[in-house]
Amino acid sequence: MAKLLLFDIDGTLMEESPTHTASFNYVCQSIYGVQTDIDSFPRHGMTDTGILYGLLKKENVEDDQIRNSIKKAFSAMVEYVSANLKPDDYRLLDHVNIVLEKLHNSEYSLGILTGNLQAIASLRLEHSGISSYFSAGGYGDDSRVRSELVNHAIERFGKSIEREDIYLIGDTPLDIRAARDASVNAIAVATGVYKAPDLKDADLVLESFNEEKKLMEFLKI
């Protein structure tokens, strides 16, 4: 029976990417002609599509204008990140490699569930050396709504699987909400901007992946 673990990237597998973050202001200015302030925007747990819409609507850019140039904006973001990528953009969090290796050798398949655009996620995963662990994913250019990314990940997984055998692993309340809305399990890790008490609605809460034993016991590995 198939079982699937879907990992968020920023705050879960890696530290937040400064270059990826800066790319939002860059494309809002270069593609839409407006100045934005990504640092003051409450974005954690959102998809890249949702962040772009939120930033631009805050500056009174109309939905039609956003939608008509969104593919051009995505391309510009990918180009910006590719041209400016540095080690801080793919720095793994503590114990991630160890946990991924153990899970990879278990009955579980591993996938990605991230707000990052697919090309940006792939770039960061490849440079960090962990891309080979993952066989499927849902990404920020699939939908503005994070829970809908689960459907895209299942489709790319390509195997019959029950929702009760899917686990979404993330570091924000929006990850937990996405899991609930998609009728899958929620595992939270307090390695991002939120602390463990903020993530109490998950089925399992870890302070970090250093609590490897607790995670393996929960997954019955």
Side-chain angles (χ1 to χ4, degrees), residues 108-171:
Y108 288 85
S109 297
L110 309 185
I112 291 294
L113 201 297
T114 178
N116 286 203
L117 302 181
Q118 184 171 2
I120 292 175
S122 297
L123 191 66
R124 296 175 67 200
L125 291 167
E126 288 165 9
H127 275 78
S128 68
I130 61 173
S131 61
S132 62
Y133 288 118
F134 304 104
S135 59
Y139 305 93
D141 37 351
D142 288 327
S143 174
R144 290 168 66 178
V145 181
R146 196 174 188 92
S147 61
E148 293 179 1
L149 306 188
V150 175
N151 294 331
H152 291 275
I154 292 171
E155 183 178 348
R156 292 184 179 114
F157 184 54
K159 299 177 184 178
S160 177
I161 188 168
E162 299 295 328
R163 298 269 171 163
E164 64 186 20
D165 294 320
I166 299 173
Y167 300 77
L168 197 162
I169 304 175
D171 64 292

Side-chain angles (χ1 to χ4, degrees), residues 33-50:
V34 297
Q35 289 189 336
T36 53
D37 181 14
I38 184 64
D39 292 326
S40 66
F41 188 77
R43 64 192 181 276
H44 296 97
M46 295 178 65
T47 66
D48 282 7
T49 305

Side-chain angles (χ1 to χ4, degrees), residues 38-70:
I38 184 64
D39 292 326
S40 66
F41 188 77
R43 64 192 181 276
H44 296 97
M46 295 178 65
T47 66
D48 282 7
T49 305
I51 294 170
L52 267 179
Y53 267 85
L55 282 169
L56 291 165
K57 287 180 73 65
K58 188 177 178 181
E59 301 303 323
N60 300 312
V61 180
E62 297 293 334
D63 279 3
D64 285 348
Q65 185 182 349
I66 299 172
R67 186 166 47 251
N68 290 341
S69 296
I70 197 78

Side-chain angles (χ1 to χ4, degrees), residues 74-145:
F74 287 163
S75 295
M77 284 182 69
V78 173
E79 290 174 7
Y80 181 92
V81 173
S82 298
N84 295 284
L85 196 73
K86 53 188 180 295
D88 282 349
D89 297 312
Y90 48 89
R91 194 177 304 282
L92 294 177
L93 291 167
D94 194 31
H95 219 69
V96 163
N97 260 322
I98 295 169
V99 167
L100 290 178
E101 182 65 22
K102 188 160 188 176
L103 292 172
H104 183 65
N105 292 319
S106 74
E107 63 182 313
Y108 288 85
S109 297
L110 309 185
I112 291 294
L113 201 297
T114 178
N116 286 203
L117 302 181
Q118 184 171 2
I120 292 175
S122 297
L123 191 66
R124 296 175 67 200
L125 291 167
E126 288 165 9
H127 275 78
S128 68
I130 61 173
S131 61
S132 62
Y133 288 118
F134 304 104
S135 59
Y139 305 93
D141 37 351
D142 288 327
S143 174
R144 290 168 66 178
V145 181

